[in-house]
Amino acid sequence: MTRDEGWRARVILTNMSGVPQQNTEKTFYLETFGCQMNVHDSEKVVGTLVQEGYRQVESVEQADLILYNTCSIRDKAEQKVFHRLADYKKLQAQGKKFGVLGCVAQQEGEKIFERAPHVSLVCGSASYRNLPQMLTQLEGKPHAGDSVPVDSGFLASLGMTSVGNDVGVTNRGSELETRDSQLVRITGLDDRQTDKCFETEFTARTNPHRGYITIIEGCDKFCAYCVVPYTRGKERSRTSQSVLAEARQMADLGYTEIQLLGQNVNSYRDPDGKKTFAELLAAVGEVPGIRRVRFTTSHPRDFGRDIVEAIDAVPTLCDHVHLPVQSGSTRMLDAMQRLYTREQYLERIAWMKAATRKISITTDVIVGFPGETEADFAETLSLLDEVGYDAVFSFKYSARPNTPALKLDDAIPEEEKSRRLDVLMARQRDIQVARYKNYIGTRCEVMVEGHNQARGQWIGRTSQNKTLNFTAPQTASPKIGSYASVLVTRSFPNSLVGELEDAATSCAENAREMGHAVV
Ligand code: SAM
Ligand code: SF4
């Protein structure tokens, strides 16, 4: 399906465990590493596999096909994937097939076959739309270790040509390879140039009340430390028409919260030129039935005042903005190729602080980037004080393949990175202790997300994205996915505690039992 054909959805059978049930023998297991983008990619991959007649299972032992959707943003994440592959290598003898999807797949490409020869499928996120064809190949052709004659008609149908004993590939998007006629490996390694988005007819959303919609894929910003532009391809947006069609479908199915996703969600450019990002936000917020709209991650360079104006004007837009700063030092921001200064970043913070609604602000910080001095680090700490974030996701700099930062001198020793991280987290903890105290005595609307039996508390999430655990009288049993008003009585550095005041805001349409809609 092309981007312009728009997005269509159907509901297929679901069950209580989140595993779509189909009467089929083909089974798969999928494990996901990394960010929300990866989680949502996996929801779409599951939808695609179910559509192809597969049934999701909950353990590697039960599966015919074992897939890992990988993350390579930091070294540790990447290592986990190879450990998993090594752990389960012995299962190949039972005829199980292995696939590596996502960022590690794109980054390492065919090298994965050398490091883990039992892998049959390597597919980067920019090639997910070709998954159905790749699955056909995987099923129709024996996998690694089997001898296969390559059928030229079959290859032609995939846009490939056969040259002698080798397979000459005419389409990097979906490759079938033979090596000395002994091996069939399937790769989907679309390069940065693809301008196609992964729009699926089916998405196996794992939560029936709130769900993600990807509006923009890839990244063109090339920060000096980051692999994303190399692993996820160039920046490409979906049409606003297609995004809104998906939002309406979700609302029809009972979803009340939508989170718009993109590596840089606010770099969104409608290919049809109909809506700016702020206008799209407002339009999703105005879809009947939608009560909350979130968006992540925003990039400071593309963060305009119109986004703040939209939050002020449309009550369904959540009063929370995640705006990664990375460093409080303009010198480091320059070295990181972020292309904004501390002052420009603070200007955007000032717009949010001037809003009528109280906007909660969160950020990402990297400590120990090459060349970061004590003075640079002190500037990051002072920025935390100045902004007063509600949460900070802090990371030690991790050197990544292909990135320009690899060439920089003055690497910071690991122990020093750890020390700075500890200092930063302690400072932010103090800031949060003070900030969260301010909520005591206020009323917040929460979406009810669960129940903690042991603590006798319900788990709620506020529009500002804070966890607000609350107690309720025995007679009141808030439904998961409903909305309730809670009086805040206590605070912790990362969460609030309160008492249910009014469960009357519960939506009737949310009363359905926890299940897993496959949209
Ligand atoms: N596009 C977003 C932005 O520019 O702010 C960030 C997306 S990135 C997937 C998520 C976060 O991972 C970044 O904000 C950064 O803090 C962190 N990160 C990325 N590359 C890193 C690296 N090489 N080492 C440590 N942290 C890294
Ligand atoms: Fe990575 Fe920078 Fe792109 Fe964010 S903007 S995904 S940090 S390259």
Side-chain angles (χ1 to χ4, degrees):
M1 184 170 77
T2 66
R3 190 169 58 197
D4 296 325
E5 281 173 304
W7 184 90
R8 289 168 287 139
R10 274 183 236 154
V11 178
I12 34 184
L13 282 180
T14 62
N15 78 345
M16 298 288 288
S17 68
V19 178
Q21 296 298 294
Q22 292 242 338
N23 193 11
T24 169
E25 290 311 306
K26 298 190 290 185
T27 54
F28 74 99
Y29 169 84
L30 171 64
E31 186 173 0
T32 306
F33 301 84
C35 62
Q36 290 147 316
M37 289 287 287
N38 264 14
V39 170
H40 185 47
D41 280 349
S42 282
E43 291 180 341
K44 294 196 272 187
V45 166
V46 171
T48 306
L49 275 129
V50 170
Q51 193 183 6
E52 293 300 308
Y54 281 79
R55 182 165 58 87
Q56 191 178 15
V57 292
E58 289 183 8
S59 73
V60 246
E61 287 74 20
Q62 293 168 285
D64 303 321
L65 174 62
I66 297 156
L67 298 171
Y68 295 110
N69 185 6
T70 61
C71 169
S72 62
I73 200 91
R74 283 170 291 276
D75 188 47
K76 260 192 193 154
E78 192 181 317
Q79 293 314 321
K80 265 193 212 160
V81 177
F82 286 106
H83 286 141
R84 278 288 194 288
L85 284 169
D87 287 349
Y88 293 113
K89 186 176 185 305
K90 56 185 182 299
L91 296 179
Q92 187 196 13
Q94 297 170 17
K96 294 183 192 295
K97 293 176 187 175
F98 291 82
V100 178
L101 312 178
C103 294
V104 175
Q106 188 67 40
Q107 180 187 290
E108 297 298 307
E110 289 157 23
K111 280 190 267 170
I112 291 177
F113 296 133
E114 287 158 30
R115 206 163 156 185
H118 54 301
V119 169
S120 300
L121 170 70
V122 170
C123 176
S125 64
S127 303
Y128 286 161
R129 65 184 188 288
N130 300 325
L131 266 176
Q133 293 96 305
M134 288 188 249
L135 290 169
T136 307
Q137 286 175 266
L138 203 59
E139 290 160 16
K141 299 286 165 185
H143 66 290
D146 294 331
S147 174
V148 284
V150 179
D151 173 346
S152 57
F154 173 70
L155 290 175
S157 72
L158 294 164
M160 303 172 199
T161 54
S162 171
V163 186
N165 266 345
D166 296 325
V167 176
V169 176
T170 57
N171 172 9
R172 285 276 299 169
S174 176
E175 295 180 4
L176 177 68
E177 265 192 31
T178 65
R179 288 184 192 147
D180 56 33
S181 303
Q182 290 299 306
L183 226 52
V184 169
R185 262 88 189 256
I186 297 155
T187 56
L189 296 170
D190 257 351
D191 57 23
R192 276 193 52 73
Q193 298 321 316
T194 185
D195 58 0
K196 302 224 171 61
C197 290
F198 179 33
E199 297 200 27
T200 47
E201 231 176 302
F202 295 87
T203 299
R205 291 198 161 83
T206 48
N207 182 305
H209 311 292
R210 54 185 163 84
Y212 299 121
I213 300 181
T214 307
I215 66 167
I216 176 169
E217 294 182 30
C219 175
D220 285 343
K221 301 262 190 294
F222 290 97
C223 299
Y225 50 81
C226 187
V227 286
V228 169
Y230 311 94
T231 57
R232 286 190 167 268
K234 75 176 181 190
E235 214 162 78
R236 51 212 190 269
S237 300
R238 289 171 62 185
T239 63
S240 56
Q241 194 188 350
S242 162
V243 172
L244 284 165
E246 187 167 359
R248 284 187 211 105
Q249 286 279 359
M250 288 174 68
D252 289 348
L253 287 162
Y255 289 86
T256 60
E257 181 177 314
I258 286 176
Q259 184 159 350
L260 302 181
L261 287 183
Q263 291 299 336
N264 297 302
V265 72
N266 59 327
S267 306
Y268 176 81
R269 297 282 174 275
D270 186 351
D272 289 345
K274 287 188 182 155
K275 291 202 189 303
T276 63
F277 173 64
E279 287 166 351
L280 178 62
L281 266 185
V284 174
E286 280 155 9
V287 168
I290 296 305
R291 292 182 63 151
R292 284 184 175 181
V293 181
R294 302 187 185 280
F295 53 100
T296 198
T297 298
S298 295
H299 193 290
R301 261 161 75 188
D302 295 325
F303 193 85
R305 253 194 164 122
D306 55 348
I307 298 173
V308 181
E309 285 161 5
I311 294 174
D312 261 346
V314 185
T316 48
L317 301 188
C318 288
D319 37 3
H320 168 225
V321 172
H322 185 65
L323 197 65
V325 66
Q326 314 301 357
S327 171
S329 152
T330 296
R331 200 181 75 84
M332 291 320 293
L333 290 173
D334 189 40
M336 290 174 169
Q337 292 168 208
R338 290 290 286 180
L339 305 191
Y340 55 82
T341 61
R342 174 187 175 108
E343 289 66 36
Q344 285 165 333
Y345 180 85
L346 285 172
E347 185 184 24
R348 279 134 188 85
I349 298 292
W351 295 340
M352 288 190 264
K353 289 193 172 171
T356 313
R357 290 173 76 191
K358 197 173 164 203
I359 299 176
S360 164
I361 307 167
T362 57
T363 199
D364 293 347
V365 171
I366 296 176
V367 297
F369 187 75
E372 185 188 61
T373 61
E374 267 302 326
D376 292 316
F377 179 57
E379 287 202 61
T380 298
L381 295 178
S382 78
L383 186 96
L384 299 192
D385 293 337
E386 195 166 340
V387 176
Y389 291 107
D390 279 334
V392 173
F393 299 88
S394 45
F395 310 101
K396 289 190 279 183
Y397 166 69
S398 167
R400 301 285 59 219
N402 307 318
T403 57
L406 281 180
K407 297 200 185 84
L408 296 178
D409 297 328
D410 299 330
I412 308 295
E414 268 318 296
E415 319 81 71
E416 178 57 15
K417 283 190 215 167
S418 302
R419 187 193 68 78
R420 290 182 192 179
L421 191 70
D422 290 347
V423 170
L424 184 135
M425 289 196 304
R427 176 77 70 98
Q428 179 56 25
R429 187 187 153 89
D430 291 346
I431 292 169
Q432 282 177 221
V433 167
R435 289 191 63 77
Y436 276 52
K437 257 191 195 140
N438 293 332
Y439 288 86
I440 296 176
T442 64
R443 280 171 186 80
C444 293
E445 186 191 64
V446 296
M447 182 200 245
V448 182
E449 292 191 337
H451 186 236
N452 185 326
Q453 200 88 32
R455 287 207 212 134
Q457 281 179 331
W458 296 89
I459 302 159
R461 184 158 301 274
T462 69
S463 166
Q464 289 195 335
N465 208 28
K466 293 186 170 61
T467 301
L468 170 45
N469 299 314
F470 62 98
T471 50
Q474 288 279 337
T475 46
S477 183
K479 296 269 191 260
I480 307 298
S482 68
Y483 292 81
S485 174
V486 175
L487 176 68
V488 180
T489 54
R490 276 191 298 154
S491 70
F492 292 100
N494 286 303
S495 65
L496 301 168
V497 175
E499 291 160 7
L500 178 73
E501 282 224 313
D502 176 16
T505 53
S506 304
C507 297
E509 67 266 31
N510 285 324
R512 65 206 171 95
E513 291 302 313
M514 269 297 253
H516 289 261
V518 177
V519 184

